Amino acid sequence: MFRSRFDIKSQPGFGFITLFTFFALYLPIGALVVYSFNDAESLSQWGGFSGRWFVAAWQNSAVQDAAIRSLIIALWAASLATIAALMAALATTRTAPYRGQTLKYAMINQPLMVPEVVTAVALLIVFSRIKVWTGYSGLGYLVLAHTAFCIPFAYLPIRARLESMDLTLERAAADLYASRWQTFRHVTLPLLRPAVIAGFMLAFVISLDDVVITEFVKSGGQDTLPTYMLGQLRRETTPEINAIATVFLALSTVLVVIFFFINRKKQ
C-alpha cells in the first residue's frame, strides 16, 4: 500500500475559502457602489439608475469644505511623515548594529501595534493641555496627530528599500571624494525615490481615511470627509453618502494601485 505524496501545490478546500472570503469582503462594497447610483431617497430601496447623488454631493458646500480640509491635512501629514520616516530609516539602516536598535524599531512602529483608540485618547489629553496653554485650536493638531500615526506606514517601504540596496554605488561615491550630502543627493535618494513616493502615497491614504484619531482630536467645525460621513450616518441618510463613499473608494484604489506598481519598480 502506497501513501500519497504531499503536494504543496495542491491544497484542497483553500480555493473555496478564498472565494468565500473574497465575496464576504467585496460584496458589501459592491452593493454600496451600486446603490450610490440609486435614484430613490432610500438607502435600501432601488428606484432606478441615476447619478444625481454624485451631483448633489459635488454641490454640497459641507462636503466641499470637508473634502478640501481632508486633502490639506493628508498632504501635510503625508509630507511630514515621509520626511521623518526617511530620516529614521537612514538612521536605523545606515549604521552598524548596536544595542537598543530593536527598541528603536519598536518605538517607530509603535502606532501600528497600539490600538488606534489608545493613540487617539493619548493625543487628546496632550493636545487639550496645549490648547489651554496656547489658545490655539487650528488644524495644526490634526496635522501633527496624523503625521505621528502615518510615520510607520511611510517608514516600512523606505526601510525595506534601504536594506535591499547595494552599497557599491555609495561606496564608489565616497571613494571619489563625494561628501555625505552629495552621496545622499546624487546616489542614495535617486535609488530611494520609488520607496519614498510609495511611502508618501501610503501615508496619504491612511491620513485621508482616518476616523478615530480625527474624531478625538478635531475641534468644532473641523470635520474631515470621513467624520462628516460618520455624522451624517447618525442622522437621516440618503444615497449621497453612498456616492461620497464610492468616490472615496475610487481615489483610495487608484492611489493603492499606483503605490503597488511604484513599490515593484527596481532600479
Side-chain angles (χ1 to χ4, degrees):
M1 185 175 181
F2 295 96
R3 296 176 60 183
S4 59
R5 289 187 61 187
F6 173 72
D7 186 2
I8 191 64
K9 297 181 180 179
S10 176
Q11 300 291 341
F14 275 54
F16 171 77
I17 295 173
T18 301
L19 288 175
F20 175 80
T21 305
F22 181 85
F23 283 111
L25 287 173
Y26 291 103
L27 189 60
I29 296 176
L32 179 145
V33 173
V34 170
Y35 274 87
S36 67
F37 294 96
N38 184 13
D39 188 55
E41 298 279 342
S42 173
L43 287 173
S44 58
Q45 294 181 351
W46 181 256
F49 184 85
S50 173
R52 72 185 182 105
W53 297 112
F54 290 91
V55 177
W58 179 262
Q59 295 175 347
N60 189 328
S61 60
V63 173
Q64 293 175 7
D65 292 342
I68 292 172
R69 191 175 297 113
S70 294
L71 290 173
I72 291 173
I73 294 171
L75 285 171
W76 273 103
S79 300
L80 295 174
T82 304
I83 293 171
L86 175 59
M87 293 189 291
L90 288 169
T92 53
T93 57
R94 288 297 184 265
T95 182
Y98 57 90
R99 196 172 186 180
Q101 191 173 24
T102 303
L103 178 61
K104 287 188 177 180
Y105 289 150
M107 293 299 294
I108 294 171
N109 293 311
Q110 187 245 5
L112 296 176
M113 299 180 286
V114 175
E116 190 174 351
V117 67
V118 175
T119 304
V121 172
L123 290 170
L124 172 64
I125 294 171
V126 173
F127 288 156
S128 63
R129 300 306 305 166
I130 296 176
K131 287 178 183 179
V132 172
W133 294 334
T134 63
Y136 173 74
S137 59
L139 289 180
Y141 298 109
L142 280 174
V143 171
L144 289 175
H146 282 217
T147 299
F149 185 67
C150 290
I151 285 174
F153 293 96
Y155 172 79
L156 291 176
I158 295 174
R159 177 192 166 191
R161 178 64 175 163
L162 276 170
E163 289 181 336
S164 64
M165 278 173 50
D166 188 356
L167 298 179
T168 303
L169 293 176
E170 292 174 278
R171 289 168 178 162
D175 289 340
L176 294 172
Y177 304 103
S179 65
R180 292 185 178 181
W181 168 248
Q182 289 173 325
T183 302
F184 172 75
R185 180 183 175 187
H186 296 290
V187 179
T188 308
L189 189 57
L191 293 173
L192 271 179
R193 187 175 292 118
V196 171
I197 296 174
F200 172 86
M201 296 182 68
L202 189 57
F204 181 84
V205 171
I206 296 299
S207 173
L208 196 66
D209 292 346
D210 185 79
V211 175
V212 177
I213 289 177
T214 305
E215 193 68 28
F216 275 79
V217 175
K218 71 182 179 69
S219 300
Q222 293 182 352
D223 271 325
T224 60
L225 203 51
T227 58
Y228 169 82
M229 294 170 64
L230 180 63
Q232 290 300 109
L233 289 173
R234 294 169 179 167
R235 308 180 184 96
E236 184 179 359
T237 56
T238 66
E240 182 181 354
I241 296 298
N242 291 352
I244 298 171
T246 299
V247 174
F248 229 109
L249 174 66
L251 176 61
S252 299
T253 302
V254 169
L255 291 176
V256 170
V257 169
I258 295 174
F259 160 78
F260 173 75
F261 283 107
I262 289 176
N263 210 35
R264 286 182 58 190
K265 185 177 180 182
K266 301 296 184 181
Q267 291 193 6

